[in-house]
Amino acid sequence: MKIIISPARIMKSDLDSLPYSGLPKYLEQSKEILSWLRTRNYDQLHQLWWNCSERLAQVNYQRIKGMNLTTNLTPAILAFQGLQYQYIGAGVMTEQQLKYLQEHLRILSGFYGILRPFDGITLYRLGMGDKATVNHTKSLYEFWGDRLYQALFKDNHLVVNLASNEYSKAIRPFLKSNDKMITCVFGEMVDGKIKQKATLAKMARGNMVRFLTEIGAEKVTDLKKFSTGGYRFRTDLSTEDTFYFELVKA
C-alpha cells in the first residue's frame, strides 16, 4: 500500500528537529525545472505564481536565484506546513510510526515529482497545475509524464489517494486495469450527497494519514475503520474506487 498526498504552499526550513534521509528520486528533473525557472524574469514568475502576493513573489524570486538542491535541506514531511501536515503530526510520532510513514507515504510535487517523507528538500514554490513550460512541454503534467505513476505502482497495486485533484491528475491517466487507486472523500451530507469543504478535507486527510500510520495499515479494509474527528465510512455511497466518509455532527 502507498498513500499519496499533496504538498503545501506554506513551507519552512527545519534543520534540527529530525534528520533528512537521502535525496529525492527525480533530482535531475528538479534541476531541469530550476534551470527553466532561472530563465524567467520577475514578472514572468509572478504571473506563474498567479495567487502569490507581491511580498511572497519577491521572496521566491530571490530564493530561485540562490537555490541549492543538495545543502541545508529539510525532511519533506517537516518542510510542508499546511493544515494536512499539522494533523499528520510527524514531529510527535514514534520511531516505528516514522518508519511506516517513510515506507508508505508519498508526497506528489510539481517541483520534485514524488517525495518520500524524509527526502531532503529545499523551500520552493511551484504547483503541479502552474503553467510551467519546461523543456518545451505544455505543462508539468506533460513534463513528468508517467514517471510518478511508475514510481508508485512499481511492485505495488494499491494506492490510497488523499491528494487533491491537481495532483492526482498526474497519476490517473496512466492507471492500468490491474492497478487499484482508492480516492477518499470527506464531507457532510447535503441534499443526499457528500459535499467536501476544502479546509475540513485537508484536516481529515491529515487525520487519515495519522490513523493509518498508528494502526500500521496494509489492507483496504483498514481504511473503513477511520472515525477520527466524527467521520464514519458510508458503505452505501462508496464504490470500489471511491470511499466516502461522512462527518456526523454531534
Side-chain angles (χ1 to χ4, degrees), residues 49-65:
W49 303 317
W50 59 273
N51 61 345
C52 186
S53 69
E54 192 79 34
R55 182 185 64 82
L56 282 176
Q58 286 286 357
V59 168
N60 283 283
Y61 178 64
Q62 295 301 323
R63 186 174 285 158
I64 284 171
K65 290 167 66 174

Side-chain angles (χ1 to χ4, degrees), residues 111-127:
F111 186 71
Y112 284 104
I114 193 165
L115 293 164
R116 297 168 299 177
F118 287 92
D119 284 348
I121 65 172
T122 191
L123 307 189
Y124 72 93
R125 187 178 184 89
L126 187 68

Side-chain angles (χ1 to χ4, degrees), residues 26 28-33 110-111 113 128 132-147:
Y26 296 116
E28 291 306 310
Q29 284 71 32
S30 300
K31 290 177 181 177
E32 291 179 44
I33 293 173
F111 186 71
M128 187 67 77
T133 54
V134 183
N135 291 350
H136 307 292
T137 56
K138 295 178 181 178
S139 66
L140 287 171
Y141 298 108
E142 183 179 333
F143 174 82
W144 287 110
D146 70 348
R147 289 189 188 96

Side-chain angles (χ1 to χ4, degrees), residues 70-81:
T70 57
T71 61
N72 296 321
L73 305 178
T74 299
I77 196 67
L78 299 184
F80 297 114
Q81 292 292 295

Side-chain angles (χ1 to χ4, degrees), residues 133-229:
T133 54
V134 183
N135 291 350
H136 307 292
T137 56
K138 295 178 181 178
S139 66
L140 287 171
Y141 298 108
E142 183 179 333
F143 174 82
W144 287 110
D146 70 348
R147 289 189 188 96
L148 314 188
Y149 163 81
Q150 295 292 349
L152 275 176
F153 281 93
K154 182 182 179 182
D155 304 322
N156 172 68
H157 294 289
L158 172 61
V159 167
V160 178
N161 176 25
L162 299 177
S164 66
N165 187 52
E166 177 184 357
Y167 287 89
S168 58
K169 276 170 59 179
I171 306 299
R172 289 188 188 280
F174 306 103
L175 292 173
K176 297 179 173 57
S177 59
N178 62 331
D179 298 325
K180 189 171 185 62
M181 186 165 82
I182 299 174
T183 298
C184 295
V185 178
F186 306 91
E188 297 179 87
M189 186 65 70
V190 179
D191 298 330
K193 296 181 179 179
I194 297 290
K195 296 292 185 180
Q196 190 165 255
K197 295 180 180 178
T199 299
L200 292 177
K202 289 175 183 177
M203 294 162 59
R205 288 165 179 162
N207 275 328
M208 175 64 95
V209 173
R210 185 167 188 88
F211 168 75
L212 296 176
T213 301
E214 288 175 344
I215 68 171
E218 297 287 352
K219 301 176 294 185
V220 170
T221 52
D222 292 329
L223 300 174
K224 301 177 182 180
K225 301 172 186 175
F226 176 73
S227 62
T228 307

